[in-house]
Structures are given as C-alpha cells and as structure tokens.
Amino acid sequence: MPDPYPLRPVTDDEFETWARVIANTYGDDRSDEDLAHERAIIELDRTIGAFDGDRPVGGTAAYTRSLTVPGTVLPVAGVTWVGVAPTHRRRGILTALMRKQLTDLHEGGREPIAVLRPSEARIYGRYGYGPSSRGAQLRCEKRSMHFRPSTDFGDGSIRLLSRDEARPHLEKVYEQVRLGMVGWPDRADRFWDGRLFDEPQARGGATALRYAVHQDPDGQATGYALYRIKSERDIFGVNASAVQVVELAAASQQAYAALWRFLAGIDLVPWIEYEGAVDEPLPHLLTDPRAARSVEVDRLWVRLVDVDRALAGRRYATPLDVVLDVRDSFCPWNTGRFRLQADGDTVDCERTGASPDLCLTSAELGAAFLGGTTLASLAAAGRVQELRPGALTHASMAFRGSREPFYPGGWAFPAY
C-alpha cells in the first residue's frame, strides 16, 4: 500500500510553501525577507518534507555543524524546521519524519549525534533525545550590581562598532572561545549571517543590535557583547526597560568582567536580561549575588545516532571501563551491550557479550553526553539501573565535564 504522506527532500521551488507550513505550526508569520534569509542558510538536500499529494504538510531539516563536546569537537546534525500542519496531526507523520532522519544519518555513516533545541520538552524523549544542557535565564537588577573590590577589569577598552566593523572581531573571539566551551557550535559565514540578522521583525519590539567589542591594550579583540534595549513600563508606569544581552563571549577573565561592568553602566535602563550558563561566573563577581537571579531551562537535547561512534568520540574526566546494556526501541541498531574504555585521549567503544554494569536507554546517554546531566541523577529517578556495585558512581564522574555545558543561542530565535 503506498505511503499516504511520502517523505522526500524539498525542492527550491517548494521551499517557501514548505517553510510557511512549518512556521505556521509555531504560530509564526515569516516575511518574504525572512524566508529569503533562511533559504540562504538551509541545506535543501538535508530537508525532509511530508506531502499530501503535492502539498507539504510537515517536515524537518538538519544543518551540518560541529559541536564542542568534552575534550574535543564532533560533527553533529543540527536538527531544525520540525513541524506538522495542524490539519495533519496524530497521523504518525512526525514519528515517520524523525525515524527517516535518524535512519538516514545512521545508514549514511554521517554525524554520530543529532542535537536540537525543542519548542516543547515533552516531544523528543520518545525519539531517544535527552536534555543534555541547560541555560540560566538571568534577570539582573542593575542598581544592586556592585562588583567585588577585588574584581580585575584589566586595562582594555570597549568600543561600540557597527555590524560590519564588529563582525571580524566577533568571529575571531567566538572561534577562540568556542573550542573550550562545551555546547558551543561552529559558526560558518552563513550562520553568522543568521546570528546577526537584524531586520525589525527579528527584534521583538526592541532596538537594533548593538555591538560592544572589548579590546586589550594592544588593540586585539578579546570579548564582545551583542545586545538590544527593550523600553517598557510596568502597570504603574514605572520604568521596566531592559538591556537584552543576546550573546556574550570573552577570551579572558578581564574581558568578561569589563563587559559586564559596561552593561551594568548603561543609563536609563534598570534591568539586564541574559541567558547564560548554569554556572555563569557573573554572580560571583557581585557583592550581592542576588542581584543576578536566574531560572533554569532545558536547552540542547542530544540524540546518539550511533552509540558506539558517539561515545568513542568524546573524552572522559577519569579513566573508565564499563559495560553498558543499551535499549533503543526507536533506533534498534543501538540496542545491545557496549564496552566503553577510556584513558585520556584513548577511547574505545565496542559491542561485547560481557556482563553489563549499567542498564539504560539511549535517551539517558544523550542526556549525559555533554557532561551536564549526571548518570547518578538519572539513576535516582529510576532511569539508570546499576548492575555492578560502584559502576554508577565511577561512570557518572567520568562523564562529567569541568563546567556545565552551555548553548549560546539562548532564548533568541532564530539562533545559530
């Protein structure tokens, strides 16, 4: 019986219609300019459209990216443009799209992991994704942001530049910083075009982007902050405006502190909003850490496309020798026992018939992959079973990173 909703790549002529269908699933209106911008970024051969006759009714896509993971950088499939038209819900289309995307990655020997930033957290667990990084949505009360007397701001300076002036400095700093920041993706020219896309419809009622670049005494760029200002009044007419920090990167402690001092000194705006890392250093720079209050949100979800290649691709905090009994109903090629051995840069992960030490699904491995979510916390929730005493503590410590993984896309959309 023919598939009622065949899946295939979207053609150039179909892109605009397909993209509007996906945008509508999120309640978004996309302008012609938006779609032209997105068309320049998307890889049509990595799109999957679901069709009812000649009409697109759903889809997904992947960007070819790399991502900093513990100890190294790995190629990843950046999953995006996921949606099904409201007229075609509950017909198995999304499941078919997700299965085809992951199967194509596996059979093509492409990226060993897929990552996405979900709009709804409850959707992707059933497809084997696990929440692997979190963000801290900070709201800072500027009048209480007093820096500790010992704070080292260095001898550099901050300049406000135009987009074209700033861009080469941004690219240089980002590339330097991302290699040491787990969860940060690479950013080719087309993704920089996306990150700096700043037409009025992309601003959410705030100002155009401002580009603050920190330079050391020799004139070398060592940090930057991209921000907007959103003017608002509360119900009593009191100024509730905020500096919305879209992205901040710093190659030194001094640049980081200096950028935050600059942001805290912007006049006539009582608040700063920023999504940073769960272990963001900012509160530790302040005499009153409560001046920077935060709420945690899940961000990057990770799916191990091929368990053995993925686990062998990253590095581990301590030497490790553990047998994992992995269950994966959605990608059955991952089901089985794997022996993971790691010592420094030497890592092997191969199938084995040995007795298992831990039993878990691929979703738990995805959650732990970036070194944030711990296997121990998942075990406490009943999602990891320890079969050999001591194996859980040992593996949980080995999977951890030195800092919490962090995705710099934050709440901004689109984020590249």
Side-chain angles (χ1 to χ4, degrees), residues 117-265:
R117 191 186 65 168
S119 56
E120 291 186 58
R122 64 185 177 87
I123 293 176
Y124 293 96
R126 63 179 181 262
Y127 306 128
Y129 285 85
S132 199
S133 80
R134 296 167 294 162
Q137 292 183 332
L138 290 159
R139 184 166 172 83
C140 308
E141 188 178 20
K142 286 172 52 182
R143 67 181 180 181
S144 299
M145 290 180 68
H146 303 295
F147 292 87
R148 296 171 61 87
S150 59
T151 303
D152 182 3
F153 298 103
D155 298 321
S157 60
I158 292 176
R159 298 176 61 200
L160 283 172
L161 303 177
S162 69
R163 175 166 51 186
D164 290 344
E165 291 173 326
R167 180 161 172 168
H169 301 299
L170 309 182
E171 293 181 6
K172 176 185 175 183
V173 171
Y174 183 90
E175 188 63 20
Q176 181 180 355
V177 171
R178 80 167 179 99
L179 297 176
M181 296 292 286
V182 172
W184 285 38
D186 69 326
R187 199 177 275 169
D189 282 347
R190 63 193 172 107
F191 295 117
W192 273 109
D193 292 341
R195 191 61 169 133
L196 303 182
F197 183 69
D198 193 35
E199 299 309 307
Q201 64 269 26
R203 299 172 185 168
T207 65
L209 276 177
R210 272 58 168 161
Y211 305 85
V213 175
H214 181 273
Q215 296 177 320
D216 66 18
D218 296 326
Q220 298 298 310
T222 51
Y224 65 82
L226 311 180
Y227 69 94
R228 310 179 191 277
I229 295 176
K230 181 72 174 289
S231 296
E232 290 184 311
R233 299 275 172 178
D234 67 17
I235 59 173
F236 302 106
V238 176
N239 185 4
S241 301
V243 177
Q244 296 180 337
V245 182
V246 174
E247 185 168 291
L248 187 147
S252 70
Q253 295 176 6
Q254 293 81 5
Y256 180 87
L259 284 165
W260 276 110
R261 181 175 62 176
F262 164 78
L263 293 166

